[in-house]
Amino acid sequence: MNMLVYMRQAQNNDLVAIVAIIEAARFYLRQQGINQWQLGYPNQETILNDLNQKNGYVLIAEDQVAGYAAIVPGEEPNYTKIESGHWLNKATDYVSIHRFALSPLYRGQKLTQRFMTAILTYFFEQQVIDFRIDTHPENMAMQAVIRDNGFTRQGIIRINEGGDSSIRWAYQVLLT
């Protein structure tokens, strides 16, 4: 299927579409029995903050917002302490990829791969070589996207999302 697909910085008028994508992802995770994003995070306020900080990016497919990710530069407080492993370096000038989600309308079309490739390429062009991301240990779909894009699991980090859901697998890739 021929489809124009590209990434751009998210704009305020993308908010409704982004929140719908996040809500669909939350529902999908709940259906899979995964206790990720089930306590109200991320929410509209989170996304608005991303947009205000210029950290939100959307994947556009067929002139529609098809995906969302927050790309946050600088040290991620949740990544400071890593267990059962270590980061590949001690750098703090990395970018963290958060809130990565794809609209269910585009599932199964390999757009998550294209989105991740667009993110890595765009930021590499801005001299970013260190990328970090985390996901729930049971989120197999996201783990596949992460691994298929060259990230390797470095250990475990903990986030404040309550209960057992606080453990996340941490991944990193260094581009050269």
Side-chain angles (χ1 to χ4, degrees):
M1 176 163 96
N2 291 335
M3 176 178 4
L4 175 63
V5 177
Y6 62 96
M7 181 185 82
R8 65 164 168 76
Q9 193 159 44
Q11 299 157 355
N12 286 341
N13 61 357
D14 297 324
L15 182 64
V16 171
I18 293 166
V19 170
I21 287 169
I22 295 293
E23 289 303 322
R26 188 185 330 277
F27 180 72
Y28 179 76
L29 290 166
R30 184 167 51 246
Q31 282 181 314
Q32 307 292 310
I34 300 169
N35 188 20
Q36 184 178 3
W37 292 5
Q38 300 305 307
L39 298 173
Y41 164 91
N43 55 32
Q44 183 168 314
E45 187 179 331
T46 312
I47 304 306
L48 273 172
N49 187 51
D50 290 343
L51 299 181
N52 290 336
Q53 301 289 324
K54 304 284 188 229
N55 292 337
Y57 290 83
V58 288
L59 184 72
I60 303 296
E62 301 174 315
D63 295 326
Q64 300 298 312
V65 175
Y68 178 74
I71 317 300
V72 184
E75 193 166 12
E76 162 61 63
N78 288 320
Y79 290 179
T80 306
K81 185 170 186 244
I82 186 167
E83 305 167 27
S84 305
H86 55 84
W87 296 112
L88 297 170
N89 55 24
K90 303 249 187 258
T92 56
D93 61 342
Y94 56 87
V95 299
S96 304
I97 303 170
H98 293 298
R99 300 178 277 291
F100 189 99
L102 189 75
S103 164
L105 301 173
Y106 296 94
R107 227 174 256 144
Q109 299 179 38
K110 304 280 186 215
L111 291 185
T112 51
Q113 299 294 353
R114 291 173 75 176
F115 195 11
M116 188 67 79
T117 298
I119 291 166
L120 297 177
T121 302
Y122 178 80
F123 283 91
F124 181 76
E125 287 298 312
Q126 297 177 48
Q127 279 70 56
V128 174
I129 60 160
D130 191 343
F131 297 83
R132 302 182 190 190
I133 191 169
D134 68 89
T135 195
H136 194 284
E138 294 170 23
N139 192 341
M140 301 303 174
M142 192 63 209
Q143 288 172 43
V145 169
I146 293 168
R147 278 194 320 270
D148 290 350
N149 279 281
F151 286 80
T152 53
R153 197 165 105 200
Q154 300 305 319
I156 294 170
I157 56 120
R158 294 180 185 270
I159 61 162
N160 191 8
E161 203 184 322
D164 293 335
S165 69
S166 66
I167 291 177
R168 296 288 184 267
W169 285 356
Y171 295 81
Q172 183 178 18
V173 68
L174 296 174
L175 306 180
T176 54

